[in-house]
Every structure is written in structure tokens, then in C-alpha cells.
Amino acid sequence: MENVTGFIMSVISLIINLLSLIVSFYILIYLIWKVYRLRQINTFLTMMSYVSIVICNSFNICLNIQTILGDTKRFIVSDSTTCHIIGHMYLLVGINLLDSFSIQSFIRMLSIVYPTRRFLRSLKSIIGFTLIIWLTAVLRLLPVVFLKIITYQQADYICVLNLHMWIGNVYTSLTVYYITIFLVILFYVQVIRFSRKIALHNRIHRRRKVTRNAHVLRRIVQIVNILLILGLPSAVFWIIDMITGELHYLTYRIQALFLALGMFITTFAVVLTNSKIKYILPFLNRQHLARVAPLELQQNTINRSSIVP
């Protein structure tokens, strides 16, 4: 085996992605059941995010297995059409995952700023928004296809974004990351501005709703920022390539490891954006019960003391 360090990194990435897939698939099944029973809009939006998370984890596992099999010389994926299709589909799913955060932010902004226009927040409207966003994701991917940015990496046995092509990297960064970040922050700012107006009018019920949704939007911003930070190694390698004209031989292995970490964090972080489902994770449920039990005990004590003998 020529690249022992790279092989170890690929195995670690595979393990992390497997754990992420198991947890995200469990959460997705629960969300599908929850949406089928209650038909809650926020739960449906979270479910759509987990659809993309499960698919992303599956693609990560597929690419890791290709690399590991290539390292062991048991099966080497060639520079084929299938390889390029997998590479383009992986990028498309990543775009859809980030777009799902934009949709969540947009719907929550609508529920606060335009509470009377309920037709915009109906399940049919949200499905329509989702289909439109998916269509735009395909359209945004077309320049990647024509520019042939996805290329076969012989040392890693996979087809991924070629960091040597600076035009493609700039375009992909803008369409994948920065558009989503701009939209999420824009919706968050709109909610904050509206919450200040609500505070001036002292509408307690509306103010609580705005505060709750603003808290969720803040978490979405944090998730997107975490994904952006975990994508910094790719940017660093790209800058080094522009200066020296060479990439480190572990560039794509390090990139895969950080992507695996990003998906692992996202798997747990997204469920926290929905207060009605976040306690399905066992360790969060134990923490919740630990907080609720003393309150219930205190309430029972108060009720007993209020009984006159």
C-alpha cells in the first residue's frame, strides 16, 4: 500500500459517515412518521433537510469505499461516465442540503413577518417552494457540467471537484455556500428587525413567537457557518495551489475527512432546530427529563401545600 496515511484517513472518514448515516436515518424515519401523523410544517421542513443529509452521508460512504478499495487494489474505479455522474450527483445533493436551510429560514420569516398570509405557509406551497429550489439547483449545476469541473483523481480513485480549476472553484463556492449564507442571514435580519417592532408594541404572544423563531434561525445560521468553517481546508489548499501550482497529496483525503465531520455535526445540529422533535435523541431526552423532574416535584409540593386540611 503506497499511501498508508491516506488510507487511515479514509477509514476514519468512513466510520464517521457510517455513524452519521445510522443516526440521520433513524431521525428521518421518526420525522416521516411524525409528518404523517401531525402534518406539521416545521417538522416537514426538518424532514426534507434529513432527506438530503441521509443522501449526502450515503454518497460520502460510497466515495470512501471507492478510495479504500482503490488503496487496497481490490477494485479500482476508472475514469468513467458513472464516476462523473456520481461526482455531479454528490455536488447536487450538497446544494440541496444547504438550500433546505434557506427554505426553513424563508418559511419561518414568512410566519413572523406575514402571519396573515397562511397560504404561503401551507404544505402545498412549501412543497412547491422545495421543487422550485431543487430545479434551480439543477440549473446551477449545469455550468459545472459544461466547464468539466468534476474530474477523476487518479490517486484517490474518485471523481470530485478539481481544485486546480480556479474559475470552477469560485463559481461553486458562490452557488453552494455564499448564496445560502446570504439568504439565511437576510431572513434572520428581517426577523430581528420585525421583533424590535413587536417589542415596541408589547404584544406578548407575538413577541414570544418571534423570539422562538429567531432562536431557530440563529441556530440555522450557526449550522451553515460551521459547514463553511469545515470547508476552509479546501479553500486553503486552493490558495496554495494558486501560489505553488501543486496540491498536497492528501488534499482530497483531508477534504473528505472534514466533510465527514461536517455531516456528523449537521446530523445532530439540525434536529435541535425543532423543539418538538429534538428529544428523540436519547442523551437529549435524559437531559430534558432531568430538568423536568425537579420542576414537576416542585409543582406537586406546591399543590400539596395549598390543600387546606
Side-chain angles (χ1 to χ4, degrees), residues 12-279:
I12 294 173
S13 300
L14 178 61
I15 294 172
I16 295 173
N17 283 317
L18 283 171
L19 292 174
S20 301
L21 179 62
I22 293 170
V23 176
S24 59
F25 187 74
Y26 161 70
I27 295 174
L28 177 61
I29 295 300
Y30 176 83
L31 290 174
I32 292 173
W33 172 76
K34 198 82 172 178
V35 170
Y36 176 77
R37 285 193 59 195
L38 304 178
R39 301 185 182 276
Q40 297 173 335
I41 300 300
N42 292 334
T43 305
F44 175 79
L45 292 172
T46 308
M47 183 194 73
M48 295 308 297
S49 294
Y50 273 98
V51 170
S52 297
I53 290 173
V54 168
I55 298 175
C56 273
N57 283 322
S58 300
F59 271 100
N60 281 335
I61 291 171
C62 178
L63 294 177
N64 285 321
I65 291 175
Q66 285 182 205
T67 302
I68 292 171
L69 291 177
D71 286 337
T72 57
K73 308 299 182 183
R74 294 186 177 181
F75 178 78
I76 297 178
V77 177
S78 60
D79 186 5
S80 61
T81 303
T82 304
C83 179
H84 284 270
I85 290 175
I86 292 174
H88 286 89
M89 289 297 296
Y90 178 64
L91 183 58
L92 178 63
V93 173
I95 295 173
N96 284 331
L97 173 59
L98 291 170
D99 285 345
S100 68
F101 298 136
S102 300
I103 296 173
Q104 284 196 56
S105 305
F106 177 65
I107 297 302
R108 289 187 178 274
M109 186 269 293
L110 288 179
S111 66
I112 295 171
V113 181
Y114 306 104
T116 58
R117 301 177 183 178
R118 295 186 177 182
F119 68 94
L120 293 174
R121 293 177 283 116
S122 65
L123 190 59
K124 292 182 179 179
S125 297
I126 292 174
I127 293 174
F129 291 145
T130 303
L131 293 176
I132 292 172
I133 292 296
W134 283 359
L135 178 61
T136 59
V138 174
L139 294 177
R140 280 180 282 164
L141 189 67
L142 291 179
V144 176
V145 178
F146 293 130
L147 292 173
K148 298 181 179 180
I149 303 171
I150 304 294
T151 59
Y152 179 73
Q153 303 301 320
Q154 189 172 0
D156 302 289
Y157 314 102
I158 55 175
C159 292
V160 291
L161 186 69
N162 191 340
L163 295 179
H164 287 293
M165 303 179 65
W166 66 272
I167 296 178
N169 282 278
V170 171
Y171 173 79
T172 307
S173 298
L174 289 174
T175 55
V176 175
Y177 283 109
Y178 295 110
I179 289 179
T180 300
I181 292 172
F182 172 76
L183 290 176
V184 171
I185 293 177
L186 176 65
F187 298 145
Y188 178 66
V189 169
Q190 290 294 324
V191 170
I192 295 300
R193 289 177 60 187
F194 188 79
S195 65
R196 291 176 180 174
K197 294 180 182 179
I198 293 295
L200 291 175
H201 291 84
N202 197 27
R203 299 173 184 174
I204 297 176
H205 177 70
R206 292 286 305 280
R207 193 168 58 200
R208 287 177 179 174
K209 181 180 179 181
V210 170
T211 302
R212 184 172 61 252
N213 283 281
H215 182 64
V216 172
L217 283 173
R218 192 181 303 115
R219 285 182 174 174
I220 293 175
V221 172
Q222 291 171 352
I223 293 171
V224 175
N225 287 334
I226 289 172
L227 293 175
L228 179 63
I229 292 172
L230 291 172
L232 286 179
S234 299
V236 172
F237 286 124
W238 176 50
I239 294 172
I240 293 174
D241 176 64
M242 291 182 64
I243 297 172
T244 63
E246 295 181 357
L247 286 173
H248 192 273
Y249 74 100
L250 291 175
T251 294
Y252 294 102
R253 309 293 178 112
I254 296 173
Q255 187 183 54
L257 181 59
F258 274 86
L259 285 173
L261 290 173
M263 293 308 303
F264 185 78
I265 294 172
T266 305
T267 297
F268 289 94
V270 172
V271 74
L272 297 177
T273 61
N274 193 321
S275 59
K276 296 180 180 179
I277 64 171
K278 67 180 182 179
Y279 298 115

